[in-house]
């Protein structure tokens, strides 16, 4: 069964490559074991700083009734990438965050790779499961507030849209703006 799941995961992930056959060959027999995959077609990738991303990945795996989507750790660049449904009209705002969509690429190891400098924290399961943006946004806000408190900064208000008196946020802010729907999620 594990071989069948691995094959399904590899097929699903390789579909984002310009040459799925060459991609799978690199994963199985290549020198680097990584392949270049296009973002924006089957999924977007939200890149966040490593410290925040590791906490968020842990939180997402602990949530009942939530199936976490694939999550990639790059220890050299100190980033974590979460695979999300493609939303071309969405912007994510936060320190050290960037959204990779159409016209961008990522390097990815084989779906079973859970070791090395570039590895899956949550590997693709082959079914197309992706991280839900709304759940990721809440997890990012919660973990960013927790990190802020641990670093000695006051936590920002959790349910208030009002800015502090000096106009500067007290802690890390994470927001997702959906231009197509015309609203922001603080």
């Amino acid at each position: 069964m594990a071989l069948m799941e691995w094959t399904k995961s590899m097929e699903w992930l390789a579909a984002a490559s310009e040459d799925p056959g060459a991609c799978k060959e690199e994963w199985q027999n290549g020198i680097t074991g990584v392949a270049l995959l296009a973002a924006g077609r089957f999924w977007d990738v939200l890149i966040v700083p490593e410290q925040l991303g590791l906490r968020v990945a842990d939180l997402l795996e602990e949530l009942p009734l939530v199936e976490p989507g694939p999550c990639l750790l790059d220890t050299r660049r100190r980033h974590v990438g979460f695979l999300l449904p493609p939303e071309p009209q969405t912007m994510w705002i936060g320190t050290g965050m960037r959204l990779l969509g159409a016209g961008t690429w990522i390097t990815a190891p084989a779906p079973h790779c859970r070791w090395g400098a570039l590895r899956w924290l949550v590997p693709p399961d082959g079914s197309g499961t992706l991280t839900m943006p709304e759940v990721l946004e809440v997890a990012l806000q919660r973990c960013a507030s927790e990190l802020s408190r641990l670093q000695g900064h006051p936590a920002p208000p959790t349910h208030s849209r009002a800015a502090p008196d000096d106009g500067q946020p007290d802690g890390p802010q994470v927001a997702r703006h959906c231009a197509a729907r015309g609203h922001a999620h603080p």
Side-chain angles (χ1 to χ4, degrees), residues 62-165:
E62 293 172 6
L63 293 175
L65 306 175
V66 173
E67 187 68 32
C71 178
L72 189 61
L73 172 63
D74 184 343
T75 59
R76 289 188 186 132
R77 290 188 176 83
R78 303 194 62 170
H79 291 140
V80 174
F82 296 91
L83 275 64
L84 309 168
E87 292 184 314
Q89 300 300 319
T90 298
M91 292 185 310
W92 288 77
I93 301 167
T95 304
M97 289 186 186
R98 66 182 190 278
L99 183 65
L100 304 179
T104 63
W105 299 79
I106 66 165
T107 53
H112 67 279
C113 185
R114 308 269 319 237
W115 61 89
L118 184 62
R119 63 182 177 268
W120 294 101
L121 295 173
V122 178
D125 62 8
S127 72
T129 299
L130 298 169
T131 302
M132 293 184 293
E134 298 81 7
V135 173
L136 180 60
E137 182 178 12
V138 170
L140 284 164
Q141 290 172 348
R142 179 175 171 182
C143 292
S145 292
E146 180 182 305
L147 284 171
S148 181
R149 281 191 305 275
L150 290 172
Q151 294 169 354
H153 303 291
T158 55
H159 292 90
S160 173
R161 291 180 187 253
D165 293 339

Side-chain angles (χ1 to χ4, degrees), residues 4-16:
M4 193 162 103
E5 289 175 8
W6 181 81
T7 302
K8 187 177 173 185
S9 296
M10 190 169 60
E11 293 290 335
W12 179 82
L13 196 57

Side-chain angles (χ1 to χ4, degrees), residues 35-54:
L36 197 57
L37 305 176
R41 185 167 144 208
F42 299 118
W43 34 260
D44 288 347
V45 182
L46 181 65
I47 305 293
V48 302
E50 181 180 39
Q51 187 178 25
L52 175 60
L54 290 172

Side-chain angles (χ1 to χ4, degrees), residues 23-24 40 81 88 163 180:
C23 177
K24 292 183 284 187

